[in-house]
Amino acid sequence: MNKSLILIAITFFFTFQSFGFTEDPAVRTYRLPNGLTAKDYLPKTLIIKYKNVQLKGIKTFDTGDKRKPSILKISYQKAFINQNAITQKSFSDQEKINEIGLNRIYEMGYVNDISVESAINEVLKDNAVEYAEPSFIYHTFADPNDPFYVSGTQSYLNQVKAPQAWGIQHNANGVIIAIVDSGSDLDHEDLAGNIYFNLKDPINGIDDDKDGYIDNFKGWDFVGASASKLVEDNNPDIPADSLDHGVHVSGLASAVTNNSLGIASIAQTAKLMIIKAGADDNASAIYRGYDGIVYAADHGAKIISCSWGGAGGGAFGQDVIDYAVNKGCLVVVAAGNSSINEKEYPAAYKGAFAVANVNSTDVKSSSSSYGYHVAIASPGNNIYSTINNNRYGSKSGTSMATPIVSSAAALVMAKNPTLTGVQVGEILRLNTDDIYALSGNSSYIDQLGSGRLNVFKAVSAANTSIPSIRNQKITINDQSLGSHAIGDTLSYYFDLKNILQSTNGVEVVLSSTNTDVKILTTSLNTGAIAGNETKVIGPFKIVVQAAAADNSTILFKIAYANPAISYQDKEYFTSVVNLDYQNITVNKVYSTITSNGRVGFSGEEATNGLGFIYKDFDLLFEAALMIGNSPTKVSNNARGTNGNSDQHFQKLIRVGKVVNSIAAYEGTATLNDALSPSPLGVTIKTRQLAYSVAPDDKYVIVEYEITNNGPATLTNVYAALFTDWDVDDGMKNFVKYDSGLKMGYTFASTPLSPYAAIKLLSSAAAPLFYPLSYQLPNDPLADGSFTIAEKFTTLSSGISATSLGSGTGLDVMYVIGNGPYTIAGKASVKLAFAFIGGDDLSDISNSAIAAQSKYTNVVTGNDPELEADQFGVTQNYPNPVKSETSFAINIPADGKATIELFDLIGRKVETVYDNDLKKGKYTFTINATELNSGIYFYRTSYEGLEKVMKMMVIK
């Protein structure tokens, strides 16, 4: 053989070896080089070179054996060199392309679940193929050159495996992170290059992009110089070093990296949308954070970083989080620095991605809040970052942990831009490092999220096929009208959403270590559940055990598992059983109805309930019923003497939700004053209604029907609510009374705080109003006690004053109600209020007018039909009735009245009332709990006149 031919053969042999082929071209096989794994090449993707340019990417492969056609199913083939691009090149370039054969190279995708080696070997059976190999992933070898990274000052980056992550995804490629904070230093040497500019609205005095913000080129300031006089502007830059919280956060989210200056950041090149939500004269307060979140979502940010929070949480904040999530955003939120497991907001909202803080050894920081709502933990102690005027410094807290997670989220999103923000969050959460084996974390099992952030794992997993099942909503059905009472079997339904990849057969296991409940249904299967699909799974049957105390909070765990794909996850929720209260969350104010006459909280010291919440301001500390007719006889559950509350009311019928109500929520409860040392002998039916549509969505109606149980007439009766509002800073409040609207209202001297009010709706007796403050000498509360005699003074003094508070304000309370009443034996009177929340005086006044109209024309049930000079009877309400129903009668002159209840065939079931009545309107209640389902009639007789009304009972 010619030596030159031998040399050529040897060359071809080594060439094939370099690609991993065997030396026999007739039986070509491929093996991956030693040490390579799936992370080193793209899945189900091959690089193929054909021998003949005319083939142009064939769709099938010829195995050479018609009995064994190729098994490979091709999803796509894409030319390495675009044909149009070739025709644009010079003749010499075309010659080189043709000579080397770049025009014969294709990227090919396949759908088979086979190894990359098997796929290549299937392709190599076709002699038309010159070679086939994986589409390799390569990695950069350069670390950032930022001085504080090189020196090791930013050790947290190694802790979260950022350098390894950069080997897969080097930077965030311009993903936008919104920094909703105190503002930032837009000219900082390590931030300026990453500041996001809204190119659609240059600074020219015109709202070019028609978004409602003029010249928001560099971001937006929602507060301005002072929250006392809010003036928005287009400059989110901070004017003083004291405001540098947002600057520090900005650097952690996306300091410019590899610029030989300052620090490095995980995201490196993410763009920072700066949204200032604090005032220039207050370094710590965030006044317009929720406005900032909405702005960020509307202007293209997919990661929204919020290093702030507080105890107040209501409908407003949840609506904002829902809005951002529905627009594809991930809202990353600090869990708080209170070292408690009580919920802080917005971290505790459904959909928020809450971040706890761990130290350099992965142990929970002593200051970090925690809880089952936390999604993830991240380093946050002694973190070095940017501060004002081109400087750098260290800060600690969940405020620092949060932008670190936001930065990681941007890197994951850059790796896979088709992901939503929530999907990015789930990838971060499912790919953490477990830190619960550390002794310092043993007291916080599952309350620091899924573990400590690992950016490398998250970026590596961005395209994995793992699902993520998360509960979106819980529906509980019971037989005790929403009170989840002892002995009841509750049915729990979960709206489970698969946020990531499709799966089949996830087992859902419900458990609790609390013996107050017995779980009858412990496990159900999801069946097939696609990505982004939501399925209702249930019912899980749960029995409330006899040992359960009132308002027992049960912690439940939902575990998810699919062993076939090594998927397992869990989450927690709490549920309160044997309730003596129900929370009302159907409109823009959140409140609570109780079984003991209180409003907002059934317990002392603002416990067991929501209070009264408007726009995330928790406005109410106490609202308690007082009924009295002498200085020695006031039945009540308001604060009393020796630091204790009077507890005079006894629960008769536990609070329950009214079925088929005309309101979005209606609940009732029944109590009496039998526990009072000097009872009046009254039974009180409390009723609370809320509506969800404007103009009725900023108030809750509270009604008390007070029935005289005895035969003797009660005289000189006053009934009212003792109310302690705490609007924002409760020590800086004022109270005023609007006699025209019969409304007491409280507001604060602090900026941007709302108004809270109680509007008196009932008019059967004269209004009364008595403002109070323990900070004033000679005030009934000045000595720290509130005696029965003092309570009667506040009840019986009419309109004692119309305002209270001066200077910057006081801690104020007031008593509001009606009296005196005269209540005949077995008769009743109604006392009604509207609890109102609003932005300002005009807002609450409009709601007061709407509430009066709603109560007069709808809630009282046709009372306008009862003309003062005629005998009349209203239709009962509710109708149909399940437990109790009420109706009103008008007596035009003193006389005897008889009310009787009959069944459908005319048999008398009950005599509801049979006695004399004085002229006036009266409300009566029929207890239907012992009645069978069917049609009944109540007949009212008065001085020879009769009216018969039909009533339906449905059980």
Side-chain angles (χ1 to χ4, degrees):
M1 181 181 288
N2 187 296
K3 289 185 178 180
S4 61
L5 290 178
I6 295 172
L7 180 60
I8 292 172
I10 293 171
T11 303
F12 270 33
F13 169 74
F14 283 111
T15 301
F16 274 109
Q17 284 294 90
S18 68
F19 288 119
F21 297 113
T22 60
E23 61 183 274
D24 184 357
V27 190
R28 295 181 297 171
T29 58
Y30 178 87
R31 292 190 306 275
L32 280 170
N34 291 335
L36 291 190
T37 65
K39 68 180 177 62
D40 296 304
Y41 51 84
L42 292 176
K44 298 185 179 182
T45 306
L46 303 182
I47 302 298
I48 295 175
K49 186 177 183 181
Y50 295 97
K51 295 178 180 178
N52 189 337
V53 71
Q54 300 302 320
L55 294 172
K56 294 185 178 178
I58 60 176
K59 299 300 183 183
T60 59
F61 294 97
D62 185 358
T63 64
D65 186 346
K66 300 299 182 183
R67 294 169 299 177
K68 296 181 179 180
S70 176
I71 64 170
L72 207 63
K73 294 183 179 179
I74 310 304
S75 58
Y76 72 90
Q77 288 200 64
K78 182 176 67 175
F80 176 61
I81 299 293
N82 185 284
Q83 188 61 43
N84 292 330
I86 293 176
T87 60
Q88 302 296 320
K89 294 181 179 293
S90 67
F91 180 77
S92 60
D93 286 341
Q94 290 185 33
E95 278 192 324
K96 291 177 183 176
I97 289 172
N98 295 338
E99 179 184 348
I100 297 172
L102 295 184
N103 55 334
R104 294 182 278 118
I105 298 175
Y106 287 79
E107 179 183 285
M108 185 199 84
Y110 62 91
V111 298
N112 307 66
D113 288 325
I114 59 177
S115 70
V116 69
E117 287 181 338
S118 298
I120 291 172
N121 290 328
E122 191 69 23
V123 170
L124 292 177
K125 292 177 182 179
D126 191 337
N127 287 327
V129 174
E130 183 173 324
Y131 64 75
E133 60 187 47
S135 180
F136 289 110
I137 299 171
Y138 299 98
H139 308 285
T140 60
F141 299 108
D143 280 342
N145 59 17
D146 307 83
F148 292 115
Y149 173 77
V150 174
S151 68
T153 305
Q154 292 185 272
S155 58
Y156 81 87
L157 291 171
N158 293 318
Q159 188 177 353
V160 301
K161 307 297 188 291
Q164 294 90 326
W166 292 327
I168 298 175
Q169 179 66 38
H170 190 59
N171 59 59
N173 197 29
V175 170
I176 301 172
I177 303 174
I179 305 298
V180 182
D181 212 284
S182 62
S184 193
D185 182 354
L186 275 60
D187 299 318
H188 195 290
E189 63 180 12
D190 227 5
L191 298 176
N194 280 347
I195 299 297
Y196 170 78
F197 297 129
N198 177 18
L199 301 177
K200 296 178 181 178
D201 197 358
I203 299 174
N204 58 7
I206 302 171
D207 183 9
D208 297 271
D209 56 0
K210 310 298 183 186
D211 66 349
Y213 302 91
I214 297 174
D215 295 349
N216 55 326
F217 179 67
K218 295 183 178 180
W220 197 252
D221 181 353
F222 276 97
V223 179
S226 176
S228 61
K229 187 179 180 182
L230 188 150
V231 180
E232 298 184 28
D233 60 52
N234 68 342
N235 182 18
D237 197 84
I238 62 167
D241 292 352
S242 62
L243 302 167
D244 66 4
H245 183 273
V247 185
H248 201 270
V249 165
S250 299
L252 296 176
S254 187
V256 179
T257 304
N258 260 328
N259 61 347
S260 299
L261 290 172
I263 63 169
S265 63
I266 295 171
Q268 299 197 7
T269 61
K271 291 299 182 182
L272 297 169
M273 181 184 290
I274 306 301
I275 302 167
K276 184 169 172 284
D280 292 347
D281 60 358
N282 191 324
S284 61
I286 297 295
Y287 296 100
R288 299 285 294 275
Y290 293 126
D291 300 74
I293 292 173
V294 171
Y295 178 96
D298 286 343
H299 287 81
K302 291 303 179 185
I303 314 297
I304 305 175
S305 191
C306 304
S307 292
W308 44 269
F316 176 54
Q318 185 63 69
D319 284 346
V320 168
I321 298 297
D322 290 345
Y323 178 79
V325 167
N326 287 336
K327 294 203 74 170
C329 303
L330 178 67
V331 187
V332 188
V333 183
N337 299 332
S338 302
S339 192
I340 57 174
N341 65 348
E342 295 180 10
K343 293 180 178 179
E344 297 187 55
Y345 297 88
Y349 283 130
K350 194 74 179 176
F353 199 73
V355 182
N357 168 23
V358 294
N359 62 25
S360 60
T361 62
D362 286 339
V363 172
K364 186 190 86 72
S365 168
S366 60
S367 65
S368 180
S369 296
Y370 55 99
Y372 294 107
H373 62 286
V374 171
I376 200 168
S378 174
N381 270 25
N382 197 31
I383 304 296
Y384 205 72
S385 184
T386 48
I387 57 176
N388 201 33
N389 288 325
N390 291 332
R391 292 177 298 138
Y392 303 85
S394 293
K395 294 182 186 292
S396 297
T398 54
S399 283
M400 285 59 256
T402 297
I404 291 172
V405 171
S406 299
S407 193
L411 202 68
V412 173
M413 183 163 280
K415 180 70 166 61
N416 192 337
T418 62
L419 296 175
T420 66
V422 171
Q423 289 173 323
V424 167
E426 287 306 288
I427 288 172
L428 290 173
R429 192 183 62 79
L430 289 171
N431 290 281
T432 56
D433 286 342
D434 188 351
I435 57 176
Y436 290 113
L438 299 172
S439 59
N441 293 332
S442 60
S443 299
Y444 311 106
I445 300 298
D446 292 335
Q447 296 187 74
L448 301 173
S450 61
R452 194 254 302 122
L453 172 70
N454 185 318
V455 195
F456 173 63
K457 282 185 181 179
V459 172
S460 301
N463 292 306
T464 59
S465 58
I466 296 297
S468 178
I469 310 297
R470 305 309 283 169
N471 176 48
Q472 306 299 300
K473 186 179 76 172
I474 301 171
T475 302
I476 308 173
N477 294 337
D478 69 359
Q479 303 300 314
S480 50
L481 300 175
S483 64
H484 310 338
I486 285 173
D488 200 352
T489 299
L490 315 180
S491 296
Y492 282 69
Y493 296 84
F494 302 102
D495 285 18
L496 300 182
K497 182 175 183 179
N498 182 8
I499 296 172
L500 294 176
Q501 301 301 320
S502 299
T503 190
N504 188 27
V506 174
E507 198 72 14
V508 183
V509 178
L510 185 67
S511 63
S512 177
T513 59
N514 195 314
T515 57
D516 287 339
V517 294
K518 181 179 181 181
I519 301 176
L520 303 180
T521 310
T522 58
S523 176
L524 292 172
N525 198 286
T526 62
I529 182 167
N532 283 320
E533 181 184 1
T534 299
K535 270 191 169 184
V536 178
I537 305 298
F540 287 84
K541 298 288 187 178
I542 297 167
V543 177
V544 182
Q545 302 290 74
D550 279 356
N551 311 315
S552 296
T553 299
I554 312 298
L555 177 67
F556 289 97
K557 181 171 82 170
I558 315 176
Y560 309 106
N562 186 345
I565 56 172
S566 301
Y567 168 68
Q568 59 181 12
D569 201 0
K570 59 183 173 292
E571 58 184 320
Y572 293 81
F573 71 94
T574 58
S575 184
V576 182
V577 300
N578 205 29
L579 285 154
D580 74 347
Y581 68 90
Q582 288 188 19
N583 294 330
I584 305 171
T585 59
V586 297
N587 63 14
K588 292 181 179 177
V589 290
Y590 282 6
S591 188
T592 299
I593 179 175
T594 76
S595 300
N596 60 11
R598 291 190 174 111
V599 177
F601 301 102
S602 70
E604 298 181 74
E605 298 296 321
T607 57
N608 295 335
L610 296 175
F612 189 81
I613 298 171
Y614 175 70
K615 283 193 173 180
D616 282 1
F617 284 88
D618 194 350
L619 303 173
L620 184 67
F621 183 78
E622 179 181 2
L625 180 65
M626 304 195 303
I627 307 170
N629 66 352
S630 78
T632 61
K633 188 174 286 191
V634 178
S635 297
N636 73 98
N637 55 6
R639 65 187 64 177
T641 58
N642 301 318
N644 298 314
S645 296
D646 290 330
Q647 304 282 356
H648 295 168
F649 295 126
Q650 174 178 271
K651 175 175 58 188
L652 297 180
I653 300 177
R654 188 180 297 272
V655 64
K657 186 177 181 180
V658 174
V659 180
N660 299 323
S661 172
I662 57 174
Y665 174 89
E666 179 178 355
T668 63
T670 306
L671 52 142
N672 63 24
D673 68 340
L675 301 180
S676 171
S678 299
L680 281 78
V682 294
T683 295
I684 304 107
K685 179 180 178 181
T686 180
R687 181 182 178 202
Q688 209 155 313
L689 304 98
Y691 299 87
S692 58
V693 179
D696 304 305
D697 56 349
K698 290 187 177 182
Y699 66 80
V700 173
I701 291 175
V702 178
E703 180 188 74
Y704 299 100
E705 183 181 355
I706 304 167
T707 300
N708 178 2
N709 296 329
T713 298
L714 287 172
T715 60
N716 199 41
V717 177
Y718 297 87
L721 285 172
F722 168 78
T723 313
D724 182 359
W725 293 106
D726 286 329
V727 177
D728 199 8
D729 185 343
M731 303 299 290
K732 296 181 178 180
N733 285 183
F734 304 86
V735 62
K736 290 191 176 182
Y737 180 74
D738 184 324
S739 57
L741 291 173
K742 295 189 294 184
M743 178 177 72
Y745 60 95
T746 304
F747 58 98
S749 62
T750 51
L752 303 179
S753 55
Y755 278 53
I758 296 181
K759 153 92 171 115
L760 187 61
L761 299 173
S762 47
S763 57
L768 63 92
F769 185 79
Y770 198 114
L772 300 152
S773 176
Y774 61 84
Q775 293 172 298
L776 297 176
N778 303 317
D779 187 271
L781 302 178
D783 60 355
S785 68
F786 199 16
T787 66
I788 296 295
E790 289 171 331
K791 289 174 180 176
F792 188 72
T793 296
T794 66
L795 289 171
S796 58
S797 297
I799 308 298
S800 69
T802 58
S803 66
L804 191 65
S806 60
T808 59
L810 298 166
D811 190 0
V812 295
M813 305 91 190
Y814 57 77
V815 175
I816 187 170
N818 288 113
Y821 291 102
T822 296
I823 311 176
K826 305 299 183 182
S828 62
V829 297
K830 285 186 177 178
L831 176 72
F833 309 90
F835 277 64
I836 304 169
D839 298 328
D840 49 37
L841 180 57
S842 174
D843 197 15
I844 61 171
S845 298
N846 290 335
S847 289
I849 295 167
Q852 186 68 69
S853 175
K854 179 71 75 173
Y855 183 73
T856 301
N857 297 316
V858 179
V859 176
T860 56
N862 301 330
D863 268 359
E865 295 179 3
L866 299 179
E867 299 181 18
D869 60 347
Q870 295 182 15
F871 168 57
V873 181
T874 66
Q875 181 64 56
N876 65 297
Y877 179 81
N879 190 33
V881 58
K882 187 171 184 179
S883 56
E884 284 189 347
T885 189
S886 299
F887 61 94
I889 68 173
N890 185 69
I891 303 298
D894 294 358
K896 184 177 181 181
T898 302
I899 304 172
E900 299 167 298
L901 181 66
F902 299 88
D903 65 14
L904 184 61
I905 61 175
R907 293 176 298 188
K908 186 164 74 172
V909 176
E910 178 186 0
T911 298
V912 178
Y913 185 81
D914 186 21
N915 212 331
D916 292 335
L917 287 176
K918 293 184 178 294
K919 177 182 178 180
K921 293 180 181 180
Y922 298 88
T923 301
F924 291 90
T925 298
I926 296 175
N927 188 336
T929 55
E930 301 298 325
L931 299 179
N932 295 322
S933 296
I935 297 174
Y936 295 82
F937 300 91
Y938 56 96
R939 181 177 69 189
T940 306
S941 305
Y942 162 74
E943 297 297 321
L945 301 174
E946 282 189 355
K947 288 190 178 292
V948 179
M949 308 293 286
K950 183 170 71 174
M951 178 181 85
M952 184 176 291
V953 176
I954 296 179
K955 296 297 180 70

